[in-house]
Amino acid sequence: MTYALVDCNSFYASCERVFRPDLKDRPIVVLSNNDGCVVALSKEAKKVGIKMCEPWFKIKDSFTRQGGVAFSSNYELYADISARVMQTLEYSAPRIEIYSIDEAFLDLSGVSSCTELEQFGRECQEKVKCWTGMPVRVGIGPTKTLAKAASYGAKKYLATGGVVDLSKKERQRKLMSIMPIEEIWGVGSRLKQHLNKMGITTALELADTDTKLIRRRFSIVLERTVMELRGYPCIGLEEHPSTKKEIVVSRTFGKKVTTLESINEAVSDYAARAAEKLRRENQYCRVVSVFARTNPFRLQDQQYSNILSCKLNLPTNDTRDILQVTKMLSRKVYKSGYNFIKAGVMLSDFYDKGVYQSDFFIPDSRRPKSEKLMKTIDKINATSENRVTFAAQGVRKPWSMHRHFQSPKYTTNWDELLVVS
DNA sequence: TCTGGGGTCCTAGGACCC
DNA sequence: TCTGGGGTCCTAGGACCC
């Protein structure tokens, strides 16, 4: 097998630059919802000492003083640029797996016999840059884990020009010998701690550890990682996204919330969005959960957190059914006297249409014409700015998040197109 | 004053069944 | 005096990913 991992450089920050060439070489950060903390940063921002996940309020002053520019997240823009990048990659390889918003695995098994792989990587880079404006790097290897490692090398060492080919055993071992284990795909901070205690600190040391020992001390997951590092593919390409097993919609509030009415409104709003996502998956859910919690950073506040679930008689994807349940649950989750900062809705236990065992003794509670109504609502909401919503979702939404530095939706909204004068 | 959101997989242990 | 064996399902918790 030969895999390539194509990875966008500082994806969100680069998206902001696509339509703002004046920001070339400026430090850029992109902030999470509510402009809370840094979720993406350009290499110039890294250079002035900004770290991932830092709270914006702590770095705001010094960052702007150093010429930095901050953006609130603009998911419409990022999703659209991502789609363009993925489409470009589909022209480059016969089979691709879209792994996340900014990464894709390519199957290069056929390519390797007719083109030099490193050359392929550079051409791919150029094509994506030319067609979409997005800078990417390319890591190539016989397994997905090694392709990921190659991509790490391409990021870390500038001399590579953003393309690393690990087809050859010697190159694999050379890179792994200077690669810390926590940079390996599948090794996080906990495993790093455990492995360090066993004296394993580099990727190469892990690759050379006995797999039986790894299986016994850890799990089959890490055993697979070891095999992949040795060049034996254990993780295949997944071309078609499998149906989801759960759907979560949750948000931190723009300001603290204390009343049941506000919690209810927010939870109803999230429920409607979750139901919409569920229908997009063509699924029906049987379990609905609601959670809410206070702000753990406010040490002066009394803390509280709770989650409650309800199993329905029949699977549904009708927003009205889900709203009914979430309202009941949020009443139970809510407690007066607390400052709530976040709430959410979770849907799980999914079924395909018509696939479930109904109960002889429970009357059929399905609503007539549900499917047609939901389809119509989804259609209107997909094409119009004036969304159809349920009264429970609220109108003014004082609890909703704020985003002060959002860029225009250059590619997805007629009113926000780039104007050249 | 201000600290994100959305997912997956694996394992161990308990309940329960025959 | 002596108290089995094999299996499934569910849940909570832990770990990881972007």
Side-chain angles (χ1 to χ4, degrees):
Chain A
M1 294 299 298
T2 306
Y3 290 104
L5 177 72
V6 180
D7 205 331
C8 300
N9 300 337
S10 322
F11 180 62
Y12 291 176
S14 299
C15 283
E16 297 295 348
R17 255 183 199 150
V18 167
F19 292 94
R20 291 284 306 272
D22 58 303
L23 295 180
K24 189 172 174 277
D25 306 325
R26 291 276 292 277
I28 295 179
V29 297
V30 177
L31 306 173
S32 63
N33 285 342
N34 290 313
D35 300 330
C37 50
V38 175
V39 290
L41 57 171
S42 69
K43 64 176 193 297
E44 294 78 14
K46 274 173 210 162
K47 241 177 245 163
V48 298
I50 308 294
K51 297 252 157 45
M52 192 73 160
C53 300
E54 260 181 310
W56 170 238
F57 74 91
K58 281 190 186 165
I59 58 162
K60 170 160 68 181
D61 292 341
S62 78
F63 182 63
T64 24
R65 224 180 302 123
Q66 292 177 89
V69 184
F71 290 94
S72 308
S73 348
N74 183 346
Y75 295 113
E76 288 91 338
L77 177 66
Y78 309 154
D80 189 61
I81 303 267
S82 170
R84 295 174 183 210
V85 170
M86 299 308 168
Q87 211 178 357
T88 308
L89 295 178
E90 274 166 1
Y91 281 103
S92 308
R95 301 201 308 135
I96 93 165
E97 171 187 344
I98 297 171
Y99 177 66
S100 72
I101 194 163
D102 71 333
E103 281 171 69
F105 286 103
L106 277 50
D107 178 0
L108 298 192
S109 302
V111 177
S112 53
S113 54
C114 42
T115 317
E116 227 235 302
L117 288 169
E118 199 179 309
Q119 184 57 30
F120 172 89
R122 305 222 180 267
E123 282 167 14
C124 190
Q125 232 181 354
E126 253 166 61
K127 195 194 280 183
V128 176
K129 178 78 190 176
C130 176
W131 290 13
T132 69
M134 179 58 54
V136 298
R137 58 182 184 275
V138 183
I140 298 164
T143 65
K144 284 167 116 180
T145 306
L146 283 170
K148 272 271 196 184
S151 163
Y152 161 79
K155 175 164 72 175
K156 178 102 182 171
Y157 302 102
L158 291 179
T160 62
V163 178
V164 168
D165 173 16
L166 287 188
S167 297
K168 295 208 176 69
K169 201 95 206 165
E170 315 87 71
R171 300 212 67 195
Q172 295 168 17
R173 293 186 71 84
K174 192 174 165 199
L175 177 65
M176 285 196 288
S177 70
I178 46 173
M179 181 177 177
I181 40 168
E182 67 270 25
E183 300 292 346
I184 300 169
W185 188 40
V187 178
S189 63
R190 288 312 181 96
L191 283 174
K192 172 196 150 109
Q193 279 176 29
H194 282 145
L195 290 165
N196 281 168
K197 265 185 215 150
M198 294 165 66
I200 300 168
T201 57
T202 67
L204 188 62
E205 284 163 355
L206 182 62
D208 289 341
T209 305
D210 179 26
T211 48
K212 286 205 198 72
L213 176 75
I214 294 293
R215 179 78 173 90
R216 212 170 51 237
R217 290 254 188 115
F218 301 93
S219 72
I220 193 165
V221 186
L222 192 61
E223 187 185 7
R224 257 183 230 138
T225 301
V226 173
M227 292 305 285
E228 285 244 321
L229 286 176
R230 294 183 189 176
Y232 302 102
C234 303
I235 308 168
L237 196 78
E238 283 173 37
E239 276 181 277
H240 309 288
S242 44
T243 43
K244 288 195 187 352
K245 291 170 183 167
E246 58 180 33
I247 286 170
V248 181
V249 176
S250 75
R251 298 272 182 283
T252 301
F253 303 133
K255 53 184 178 189
K256 63 189 179 201
V257 162
T258 54
T259 65
L260 174 60
E261 293 73 55
S262 291
I263 294 274
N264 252 335
E265 221 176 83
V267 165
S268 299
D269 198 39
Y270 306 157
R273 279 168 198 278
E276 205 178 306
K277 285 189 185 183
L278 184 62
R279 291 192 291 272
R280 211 180 311 145
E281 290 275 311
N282 273 319
Q283 292 288 293
Y284 294 72
C285 79
R286 242 194 116 176
V287 172
V288 177
S289 317
V290 168
F291 65 88
R293 64 166 173 79
T294 51
N295 185 351
F297 292 103
R298 281 181 64 91
L299 301 171
Q300 68 273 38
D301 279 9
Q302 187 87 277
Q303 297 294 317
Y304 169 73
S305 157
N306 200 1
I307 174 163
L308 291 173
S309 306
C310 176
K311 189 162 187 165
L312 306 168
N313 290 329
L314 291 173
T316 182
N317 66 16
D318 189 306
T319 304
R320 294 166 296 175
D321 293 333
I322 292 168
L323 279 176
Q324 213 177 356
V325 184
T326 53
K327 263 192 191 162
M328 181 269 291
L329 289 172
S330 70
R331 254 198 305 276
K332 287 191 193 168
V333 163
Y334 173 80
K335 259 197 192 174
S336 69
Y338 290 91
N339 295 325
F340 287 93
I341 192 66
K342 183 175 183 172
V345 169
M346 198 188 301
L347 307 180
S348 50
D349 197 10
F350 293 172
Y351 294 81
D352 285 327
K353 184 181 175 179
V355 182
Y356 55 85
Q357 186 70 51
S358 52
D359 190 321
F360 183 74
F361 298 101
I362 296 173
D364 191 339
S365 58
R366 278 172 297 174
R367 298 168 190 262
K369 296 189 182 159
S370 158
E371 207 170 308
K372 214 168 175 183
L373 177 63
M374 291 302 131
K375 213 170 240 164
T376 308
I377 291 178
D378 291 341
K379 203 169 160 190
I380 294 171
N381 288 346
T383 52
S384 155
E385 281 295 292
N386 305 310
R387 295 174 57 90
V388 176
T389 58
F390 291 81
Q393 291 173 249
V395 179
R396 290 209 325 279
K397 307 187 183 184
W399 38 267
S400 70
M401 61 183 173
H402 42 77
R403 293 191 285 200
H404 293 309
F405 320 109
Q406 194 161 49
S407 51
K409 301 181 185 77
Y410 296 109
T411 61
T412 55
N413 188 323
W414 286 113
D415 298 329
E416 300 183 29
L417 293 186
L418 189 68
V419 176
V420 181
S421 46

